């Protein structure tokens, strides 16, 4: 009752940062003593509810592997690379990237159904347009691969993706690219090119195309982008003329955009790229999101 089950007390410090003190009654364990007396046996261990909240997602998936409903909830968190997070970790203590991936895990959970073995299978239904602003920032290469697999699961569930990104592995894995520029600030706000990664790579005026060509040369023959467990590039199966399958933005002049017109294919993995200040966030958030 003292902390309301949070495990800590919030003390406002007026002009200083607020202070969070461990609850003196529950000692940070969140529950009354009579609740903590209840134990759940898993293998050689007996867990109270507080002990369970101290487990990482990976540890919980191991000790509760026969509880399919539990694993079903934990699997999307594992899929986005957050298996090291503790079940009882307060959300405000997560980093920005962790919070973004945790939210993605929630959508993955909604997009999947149990196959009877605690795993999620995509549901074939169209859904939401997801916008991500540089989700690979601060991630290790292995975490980027996990993120890409998670994004593909959203695609398989019938959703559409729009990602602002500079990571070349992510750009190479896209179905469709919108490249803005040619420079930043007053020198930006124009559509340099659109198309598949191969199309952009052939565009001589695109900084992104030059980076893709250099990256491919550095990888050498047979070089791969992020390994996703699925083909990295999907064939564009519909013509751009099918207006009902694309979001059309016409003659945009917001901020530094200069009469920009572009189509965002639905049901595809789209990437908006370009040099810093070229108008990527303006296109994605100020126009499309609004």
């Amino acid at each position: 009752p003292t902390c309301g089950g949070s495990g800590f007390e919030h003390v406002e410090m007026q002009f200083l940062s607020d202070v969070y003190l461990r609850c003196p009654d529950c000692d940070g364990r969140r529950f009354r003593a009579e609740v903590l007396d209840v134990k759940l046996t898993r293998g050689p261990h007996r867990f109270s509810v507080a002990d369970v909240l101290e487990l990482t997602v990976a540890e919980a998936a191991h000790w509760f592997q026969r509880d399919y409903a539990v694993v079903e909830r934990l699997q999307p968190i594992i899929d986005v690379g957050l298996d090291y997070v503790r079940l009882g970790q307060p959300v405000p203590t997560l980093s920005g990237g962790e919070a973004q991936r945790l939210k993605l895990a929630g959508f993955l959970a909604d997009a999947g159904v149990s196959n009877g073995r605690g795993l999620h299978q995509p549901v074939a239904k169209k859904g939401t347009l997801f916008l991500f602003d540089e989700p690979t920032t601060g991630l290790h290469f292995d975490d980027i691969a996990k993120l890409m697999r998670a994004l593909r699961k959203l695609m398989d569930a019938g959703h559409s993706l729009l990602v602002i990104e500079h990571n070349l592995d992510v750009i190479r894995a896209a179905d469709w690219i919108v490249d803005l520029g040619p420079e930043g600030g007053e020198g930006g706000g124009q559509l340099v090119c659109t198309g598949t990664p191969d199309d952009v790579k052939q565009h001589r005026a695109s900084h992104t195309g030059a980076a893709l060509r250099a990256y491919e040369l550095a990888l050498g023959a047979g070089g791969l982008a992020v390994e996703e467990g699925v083909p990295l590039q999907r064939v564009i199966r519909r013509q751009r003329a099918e207006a009902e399958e694309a979001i059309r933005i016409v003659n945009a002049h917001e901020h530094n955009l200069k009469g920009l017109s572009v189509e965002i294919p639905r049901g595809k993995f789209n990437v908006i790229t370009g040099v810093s200040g070229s108008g990527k966030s303006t296109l994605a958030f100020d126009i499309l999101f609004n």
Side-chain angles (χ1 to χ4, degrees):
T2 303
C3 64
S6 64
F8 57 84
E9 291 184 290
H10 177 204
V11 181
E12 293 186 5
M13 299 294 290
Q14 295 183 349
F15 300 109
L16 301 176
S17 298
D18 293 349
V19 174
Y20 295 89
L21 303 175
R22 184 185 297 270
C23 175
D25 289 342
C26 70
D27 195 30
R29 292 174 66 81
R30 303 188 179 194
F31 297 92
R32 295 190 296 268
E34 56 267 31
V35 176
L36 296 177
D37 284 340
V38 179
K39 306 287 185 180
L40 190 64
T41 302
R42 287 294 183 273
H45 299 285
R46 298 177 68 240
F47 296 104
S48 70
V49 62
D51 295 330
V52 171
L53 291 176
E54 283 298 312
L55 295 175
T56 65
V57 172
E59 291 169 342
H62 170 71
W63 292 115
F64 293 87
Q65 57 187 293
R66 296 186 181 277
D67 298 275
Y68 299 138
V70 174
V71 178
E72 201 169 56
R73 286 295 184 182
L74 297 179
Q75 190 61 46
I77 304 177
I78 297 173
D79 289 342
V80 298
L82 292 178
D83 52 348
Y84 59 88
V85 173
R86 297 192 181 277
L87 296 184
Q89 182 170 339
V91 172
T93 65
L94 297 173
S95 69
E98 289 172 335
Q100 188 167 224
R101 281 187 286 161
L102 186 62
K103 191 171 184 178
L104 173 59
F107 283 108
L108 284 175
D110 292 338
V113 293
S114 173
N115 65 0
R117 296 192 301 273
L119 301 176
H120 274 69
Q121 296 296 329
V123 178
K125 63 185 177 76
K126 287 191 175 182
T128 306
L129 171 65
F130 289 89
L131 276 70
F132 294 92
D133 191 358
E134 301 190 33
T136 64
T137 300
L139 295 187
H140 184 271
F141 302 114
D142 186 57
D143 289 324
I144 293 176
K146 293 175 181 177
L147 175 67
M148 293 296 289
R149 285 192 289 268
L151 293 178
R152 284 298 180 190
K153 288 188 177 183
L154 283 180
M155 291 279 297
D156 293 337
H159 301 296
S160 303
L161 298 178
L162 183 61
V163 180
I164 296 175
E165 191 55 75
H166 296 105
N167 182 281
L168 291 175
D169 285 322
V170 176
I171 293 173
R172 294 178 78 209
D175 294 319
W176 195 256
I177 296 174
V178 177
D179 190 21
L180 301 185
E183 304 298 337
E186 287 299 318
Q190 301 180 53
L191 184 63
V192 177
C193 61
T194 63
T196 66
D198 286 337
D199 295 335
V200 175
K201 191 169 56 180
Q202 301 304 319
H203 199 285
R204 293 297 167 179
S206 168
H207 291 304
T208 302
L212 287 172
R213 293 192 298 271
Y215 189 47
E216 188 171 88
L217 186 63
L219 287 175
L224 298 176
V226 171
E227 177 57 47
E228 301 179 51
V230 297
L232 294 178
Q233 295 183 17
R234 298 188 176 193
V235 177
I236 303 292
R237 294 180 294 271
R238 300 182 181 90
Q239 296 296 324
R240 292 179 61 205
E242 297 177 349
E244 70 276 5
E245 292 300 327
I247 299 171
R248 300 178 67 238
I249 297 174
V250 180
N251 201 24
H253 284 85
E254 187 79 8
H255 293 164
N256 67 332
L257 298 184
K258 299 177 176 64
L260 185 143
S261 297
V262 69
E263 294 183 1
I264 308 295
R266 294 182 183 273
K268 301 294 181 184
F269 181 4
N270 303 275
V271 171
I272 297 179
T273 189
V275 297
S276 179
S278 58
K280 300 183 298 296
S281 296
T282 298
L283 174 61
F285 293 98
D286 294 342
I287 295 179
L288 183 56
F289 180 76
N290 283 334

